[in-house]
């Protein structure tokens, strides 16, 4: 069976729901943390339409998640952001200002503030998450060695906030889960030693009650199977919601 398809994603969410995990956004968790929680974090590096499909699909399954947008033309899309906000998900800033400013802290914090302001036209952004910028010598997270997140009304950053240290992290890299070979900066060392390669391993461990109560699944929707996404691209500005409902209910194609 192919992995990293929408069908697999639907199954994963359903399995966690059946095991009584509460779905919270990063923001919600920081405000009122649940004891047994699954956080779905999405980094919208590019192809934002894929994230819209994820957002609609989650909405159909009655769960809320967090979408971190970059301000680049590959990621930022006003219409898509508005639609994701309307579905009740959280929007945050996937910042890369220090890398883009080539290590100039003043320039970087100026553009961070400006970009945050742009995103806040659509959503009262409370959390941000660094972009890995694998090709850059500068690590975006270092911005916070000089400045403070709170000064910008930010309550959390998944790579910094201590609240997330106790979480078990699952991240989609190179079409595998937790593939450290491809993870450069996008990784968090949690203390868990649970071997997971494909999505079936996640569900298998879940069935055997081997997964911890606090989990973050971090995905990049542009990395997921693209056949279906290419097709839906045409329908972004039409009623994508009904199309997705149709596919979920009919299961006629391999989503
Ligand atoms: Zn990223």
């Amino acid at each position: 069976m192919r992995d990293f398809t929408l069908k697999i994603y639907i199954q994963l969410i359903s399995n966690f729901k059946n095991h009584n995990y509460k779905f919270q956004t990063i923001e919600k968790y920081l405000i009122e943390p649940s004891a047994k929680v699954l956080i779905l974090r999405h980094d919208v590096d590019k192809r934002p339409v894929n994230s819209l499909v994820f957002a609609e699909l989650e909405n159909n399954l009655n769960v809320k998640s967090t979408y971190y947008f970059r301000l680049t033309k590959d990621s930022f899309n006003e219409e898509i952001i508005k639609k994701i906000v309307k579905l009740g998900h959280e929007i945050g800033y996937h910042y890369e200002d220090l890398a883009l400013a080539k290590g100039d802290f003043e320039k970087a914090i100026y553009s961070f503030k400006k970009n945050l302001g742009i995103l806040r036209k659509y959503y009262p952004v409370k959390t941000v998450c660094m972009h890995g910028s694998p090709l850059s010598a500068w690590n975006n997270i270092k911005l916070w060695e000089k400045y403070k997140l709170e000064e910008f009304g930010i309550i959390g950053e998944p790579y910094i906030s201590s609240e997330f240290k106790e979480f078990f992290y699952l991240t989609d890299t190179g079409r595998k889960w937790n593939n450290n070979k491809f993870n450069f900066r996008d990784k968090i060392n949690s203390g868990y030693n649970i071997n997971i390669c494909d999505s079936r391993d996640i569900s298998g461990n879940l069935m055997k009650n081997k997964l911890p109560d606090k989990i973050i699944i971090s995905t990049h929707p542009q990395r997921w199977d693209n056949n279906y996404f290419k097709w839906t691209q045409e329908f972004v500005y039409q009623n994508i919601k009904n199309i997705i409902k149709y596919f979920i209910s009919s299961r006629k194609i391999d989503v």
Side-chain angles (χ1 to χ4, degrees), residues 141-172:
I141 210 143
K142 293 212 181 291
L143 195 56
W144 310 116
E145 288 177 3
K146 198 162 176 198
Y147 302 98
K148 283 195 167 66
L149 285 160
E150 307 90 75
E151 285 167 18
F152 302 91
I154 297 300
I155 61 169
E157 209 290 7
Y159 292 96
I160 297 176
S161 306
S162 56
E163 288 88 341
F164 299 113
K165 299 269 185 274
E166 56 184 324
F167 274 73
F168 175 51
Y169 250 78
L170 281 161
T171 184
D172 64 340

Side-chain angles (χ1 to χ4, degrees), residues 118-160:
I118 294 171
L119 274 179
R120 280 182 170 156
K121 286 187 201 155
Y122 309 96
Y123 185 87
V125 176
K126 286 278 185 329
T127 76
V128 298
C129 175
M130 66 125 193
H131 173 60
S133 300
L135 302 176
S136 170
W138 288 278
N139 187 346
N140 292 306
I141 210 143
K142 293 212 181 291
L143 195 56
W144 310 116
E145 288 177 3
K146 198 162 176 198
Y147 302 98
K148 283 195 167 66
L149 285 160
E150 307 90 75
E151 285 167 18
F152 302 91
I154 297 300
I155 61 169
E157 209 290 7
Y159 292 96
I160 297 176

